[in-house]
Amino acid sequence: MDFVAAFEREYGSCPTRPNFVSEGFMDALQRSRNTYKLLFVYLHSPDHPDTPVFCERTLCNDVLAAFVNENFVAWGGSIRASEGFKMSNSLKASRFPFCAVVMAATNQRIALLQQVEGPKTPEEMLMVLQRVLEESAPVLVAARLDAEERRNNMRLREEQDAAYRAALEADQARERQRKEEQERLEREAAEAERKRKEEEEARLRAEREAAERAAALAKLREEKASSVGAEPEKGPDVTRVLVRFPTGERKERRFHSNTTIQVLYDYVDSLGCLEIGNYSLVSNFPRVVYGSEKLSLSLKEAGLHPQASLFVELNS
């Protein structure tokens, strides 16, 4: 893919050029085998002085490129890359530019039909490729005919198998219908019993979970009430706080002025009037929301001493 992208960047302005496949060599070889074509291989040497002219004037020649695209699967690789370097060693490339024509052989091997080393004109390359194509035509035709014969034999076997399966399925259909009716009745009875058990289990589970939630909530509120501590007597360092609830209910309590906003939330939570964590304490004139960023402030630091009136705002 890197080679194809680089070739497109360098020679993309040419009207016609080989359609190099963007895949590894073995995948390209398999593609050529599946399409009954030969594989045209070009090994690119970026540093060779003949490379630019060969690519632009020979590989991108309209007639040659069209011939390659019509009759071959084209694969290219740079010898700077691992796979291109590996193929240059495998094909024993000694001069560049280097082209070769190969085809798939047995046991995942390749048959080297022709190699072209050194700069060549489009006419010279075309003559070589035409000759290789003519010499290999019988092999490609035989492979195509052999594949067609295999497909025909496979289709015939599939048709015979289909006929046998149809007859077998017809024999089995009547027995299956009888069993299906019996199984349907058994399934309905089993399903009814399963649903009854599931409903009973769900009811017991819901009751258990509700009880657990209630116990956990009661424990949490008890812990919060304990953390709030005893209500202090009136004094200069004691703050009187009035909390108004959405229902209109009011709660008033005294706190030490160094008590944090978090303790106010704990106090409201301990009353059991609201869902824990689903509200905010807000003051008016000016409007201030005592959210998470103010929980560590003391009442005095938050400007709520010596007395404050807060209302509960439910979170949406």
Side-chain angles (χ1 to χ4, degrees), residues 246-262:
T247 58
E249 184 180 0
R250 298 183 178 189
K251 294 289 184 178
E252 185 176 337
R253 193 185 190 279
R254 293 183 301 277
F255 298 89
H256 291 289
S257 61
N258 60 358
T259 299
T260 62
I261 300 295
Q262 177 64 63

Side-chain angles (χ1 to χ4, degrees), residues 171-206:
D171 292 338
Q172 293 172 340
R174 291 182 293 273
E175 178 64 15
R176 188 166 55 248
Q177 289 176 354
R178 183 188 66 79
K179 287 184 177 180
E180 286 176 353
E181 178 62 19
Q182 180 179 353
E183 291 172 355
R184 183 184 65 81
L185 297 175
E186 292 174 354
R187 283 197 304 272
E188 290 178 353
E191 181 67 13
E193 178 62 15
R194 184 187 64 81
K195 286 184 177 180
R196 186 192 67 77
K197 288 183 177 180
E198 284 184 352
E199 291 173 355
E200 178 65 16
E201 291 175 357
R203 184 184 64 80
L204 294 175
R205 184 169 55 253

Side-chain angles (χ1 to χ4, degrees), residues 95-109:
R95 292 181 61 200
F96 293 91
F98 180 90
C99 299
V101 178
V102 302
M103 69 181 300
T106 57
N107 299 327
Q108 293 187 337
R109 294 187 175 184

Side-chain angles (χ1 to χ4, degrees), residues 25-296:
F25 176 82
M26 294 306 297
D27 290 333
L29 188 66
Q30 186 61 44
R31 180 190 291 269
S32 69
R33 185 172 190 170
N34 293 341
T35 55
Y36 308 104
K37 291 184 177 182
L38 301 178
L39 181 63
F40 175 80
V41 177
Y42 167 62
L43 296 180
H44 186 69
S45 177
D47 300 324
H48 198 281
D50 294 328
T51 294
V53 174
F54 179 77
C55 289
E56 185 172 351
R57 297 183 183 177
T58 300
L59 283 184
C60 294
N61 175 268
D62 292 347
V63 176
L64 179 64
F67 184 78
V68 170
N69 292 337
E70 181 178 357
N71 297 286
F72 297 84
V73 172
W75 182 87
S78 173
I79 62 172
R80 286 181 177 175
S82 60
E83 191 168 28
F85 180 75
K86 178 182 176 183
M87 292 310 304
S88 71
N89 290 333
S90 177
L91 297 174
K92 297 181 174 58
S94 59
R95 292 181 61 200
F96 293 91
F98 180 90
C99 299
V101 178
V102 302
M103 69 181 300
T106 57
N107 299 327
Q108 293 187 337
R109 294 187 175 184
I110 61 174
L112 177 61
L113 305 180
Q114 182 70 49
Q115 63 185 45
V116 182
E117 296 182 295
K120 294 290 184 291
T121 65
E123 293 75 19
E124 290 173 328
M125 284 292 297
L126 189 61
M127 288 179 60
V128 172
L129 295 180
Q130 286 175 332
R131 178 177 55 79
V132 174
L133 194 62
E134 290 172 0
E135 293 173 352
S136 305
V139 177
L140 297 176
V141 171
R144 184 180 289 106
L145 292 176
D146 182 58
E148 289 178 357
E149 183 178 359
R150 288 198 303 271
R151 284 196 297 269
N152 290 335
N153 291 337
M154 184 178 297
R155 184 165 57 250
L156 178 60
R157 286 196 300 270
E158 289 174 351
E159 291 173 353
Q160 292 172 341
D161 291 344
Y164 171 76
R165 287 195 301 271
L168 181 62
E169 289 173 0
D171 292 338
Q172 293 172 340
R174 291 182 293 273
E175 178 64 15
R176 188 166 55 248
Q177 289 176 354
R178 183 188 66 79
K179 287 184 177 180
E180 286 176 353
E181 178 62 19
Q182 180 179 353
E183 291 172 355
R184 183 184 65 81
L185 297 175
E186 292 174 354
R187 283 197 304 272
E188 290 178 353
E191 181 67 13
E193 178 62 15
R194 184 187 64 81
K195 286 184 177 180
R196 186 192 67 77
K197 288 183 177 180
E198 284 184 352
E199 291 173 355
E200 178 65 16
E201 291 175 357
R203 184 184 64 80
L204 294 175
R205 184 169 55 253
E207 291 177 355
R208 183 173 61 254
E209 291 175 352
E212 290 173 353
R213 286 194 301 270
L217 186 59
K219 181 180 179 181
L220 179 60
R221 285 174 174 156
E222 183 179 342
E223 291 173 351
K224 287 180 176 290
S226 177
S227 67
V228 171
E231 183 175 8
E233 297 295 332
K234 295 179 180 180
D237 293 327
V238 173
T239 304
R240 185 175 63 86
V241 178
L242 175 66
V243 180
R244 293 184 174 87
F245 291 85
T247 58
E249 184 180 0
R250 298 183 178 189
K251 294 289 184 178
E252 185 176 337
R253 193 185 190 279
R254 293 183 301 277
F255 298 89
H256 291 289
S257 61
N258 60 358
T259 299
T260 62
I261 300 295
Q262 177 64 63
V263 174
L264 288 186
Y265 276 92
D266 292 342
Y267 166 67
V268 174
D269 290 341
S270 70
L271 298 176
C273 302
L274 299 169
E275 182 179 347
I276 293 177
N278 196 34
Y279 65 92
S280 298
L281 294 176
V282 182
S283 66
N284 279 333
F285 311 116
R287 174 180 168 83
V288 178
V289 178
Y290 297 94
S292 57
E293 73 282 357
K294 293 184 171 61
L295 294 180
S296 61

